[in-house]
Amino acid sequence: MDQTFIILKPSTIARCLVGDVLTRFQRKGLLIAGIKMMCLDEAILREHYAHLVDRPFFPSLLHSMTATPVIVAVLRGKNAVEVVRAMTGATNCRNAAPGTIRGDFGMSGQENIIHASDSPENAEIEINRFFRPEEIFDYTLAGIGSIYAPDELD
Ligand code: IDP
Ligand code: MG
């Protein structure tokens, strides 16, 4: 099965939306393979957002991502990266389609509820950046046979 990485950002923590966001992924049929609360520091954010460090809004993004602890999680499921990105929606919540997490829960480009890995390669890098191997668990959902057909299970 595939894995992806998400961050429930400080906007989610501050607005008490942790349960709402996680429930969506669980209802979809994704398995929570790892989850923890942590504080992000500038060093890890400079790595994680390396593609944005030179953008004018980066100091503001840094401030936002360190405002409260965050919740990081690894989600497992078939095509997990694509499925979770689709559920996440466009970067700016005001442009995100209704029915997506950002479309339903946010109004901001920066305070946009969650991070989700954008490719399987980046998912692996991000999982290794934020989790130790022993923090990711191998187990099966009791309802797995109702989530997938037999030929969809790797
Ligand atoms: P993504 O989160 O949809 O993958 P990225 O372009 O990778 O979008 O940007 C990472 C994060 O940086 C966004 O989720 C958002 O919080 C922030 N961000 C991106 N573009 C802007 C902007 O133009 N203004 C403010 N914040 C931005
Ligand atoms: Mg991105």
Side-chain angles (χ1 to χ4, degrees), residues 51 85 115-116 118:
H51 59 301
R85 278 293 279 197
H115 164 82
D118 61 9

Side-chain angles (χ1 to χ4, degrees), residues 54-118:
D54 296 328
R55 301 292 291 275
F57 59 80
F58 187 74
S60 173
L61 179 60
L62 205 54
H63 187 259
S64 163
M65 292 297 292
T66 54
T68 68
V70 299
I71 292 172
V72 292
V74 176
L75 301 177
R76 189 178 297 144
K78 198 166 178 66
N79 304 134
V81 173
E82 297 88 329
V83 168
V84 170
R85 278 293 279 197
M87 291 175 72
T88 295
T91 302
N92 188 322
C93 295
R94 295 192 301 280
N95 300 330
T100 64
I101 290 166
R102 288 169 172 169
D104 288 353
F105 293 134
M107 281 295 285
S108 169
Q110 176 180 278
E111 304 302 319
N112 60 358
I113 312 297
I114 68 168
H115 164 82
S117 303
D118 61 9

